[in-house]
């Protein structure tokens, strides 16, 4: 995190397939993947939270500037075609590991996320080339999503929070 106090690790956990009952007409689903998030104290090397289970594999982690919270994002339906993926973003309070708000549900695979300097907004970049700004307290979009020309791989706010940069595959 920017304060140098915390380190977060995310994992992918494969759950076993459950077989249907003999008279169940539905075939068994493919393996389901979930995730776990753990936060560590950098000074001691000790975990400050137990392993925090999250609904989806953890593919990305972003800290708020003040180190008070972390956003973990993954993908629901990892076995599906990428255009059908949905991401769920969880915002966890530090050092307690308590979820702070309802998860944000994003309509495509989240590539990156960034907190505004005041920690009230979260920007997301998705694989379908949209950048969206969210109010993390309400879970609402603050502006309509903006489609970029290139895949936005990295998001960063300016220190004053007035600007958001989206770095793509070939340009910013």
């Amino acid at each position: 995190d920017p304060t140098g106090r915390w380190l977060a690790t995310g994992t992918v956990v494969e759950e076993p397939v459950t077989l249907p009952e003999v008279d169940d007409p539905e075939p068994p689903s493919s393996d389901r993947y979930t995730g776990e998030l753990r936060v560590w104290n950098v000074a001691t090397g000790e975990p400050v939270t137990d392993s925090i289970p999250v609904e989806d594999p953890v593919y990305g982690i972003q800290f708020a500037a003040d180190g008070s919270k972390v956003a973990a994002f993954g993908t629901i339906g990892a076995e599906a075609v990428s255009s059908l993926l949905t991401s769920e973003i969880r915002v966890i309070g530090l050092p307690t590991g308590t979820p702070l708000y309802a998860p944000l549900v994003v309509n495509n695979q989240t590539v990156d996320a960034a907190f505004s300097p005041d920690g009230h907004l979260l920007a997301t970049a998705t694989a379908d080339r949209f950048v969206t700004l969210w109010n993390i307290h309400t879970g609402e979009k603050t502006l309509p999503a903006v489609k970029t020309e290139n895949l936005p791989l990295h998001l960063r706010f300016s220190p004053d929070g007035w600007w958001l940069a989206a770095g793509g595959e070939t340009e910013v």
Side-chain angles (χ1 to χ4, degrees), residues 60-87:
I61 298 168
Q62 289 294 334
F63 286 94
D66 65 359
S68 66
K69 55 188 154 273
V70 62
F73 52 92
T75 303
I76 301 170
E79 67 282 345
V81 177
S82 68
S83 64
L84 303 177
L85 296 176
T86 302
S87 297

Side-chain angles (χ1 to χ4, degrees), residues 118-135:
D118 65 7
H120 296 291
L121 302 174
L122 186 74
T124 58
T126 54
D128 59 353
R129 301 189 339 250
F130 279 97
V131 175
T132 307
L133 201 56
W134 303 84
N135 177 321

Side-chain angles (χ1 to χ4, degrees), residues 23-116:
D23 59 352
D24 189 348
E26 294 293 317
S29 62
S30 61
D31 291 344
R32 168 83 169 111
Y33 295 91
T34 60
E36 293 178 343
L37 176 71
R38 181 167 278 186
V39 180
W40 306 81
N41 181 313
V42 171
T44 66
E46 297 294 320
V48 294
T49 64
D50 290 332
S51 184
I52 303 165
V54 292
E55 286 291 316
D56 309 304
V58 177
Y59 293 127
I61 298 168
Q62 289 294 334
F63 286 94
D66 65 359
S68 66
K69 55 188 154 273
V70 62
F73 52 92
T75 303
I76 301 170
E79 67 282 345
V81 177
S82 68
S83 64
L84 303 177
L85 296 176
T86 302
S87 297
E88 191 167 271
I89 301 172
R90 305 234 174 214
V91 179
I92 308 295
L94 297 176
T96 63
T98 306
L100 296 178
Y101 317 103
L104 299 175
V105 178
V106 181
N107 292 330
N108 206 287
Q109 181 178 4
T110 300
V111 177
D112 197 19
F115 281 102
S116 62

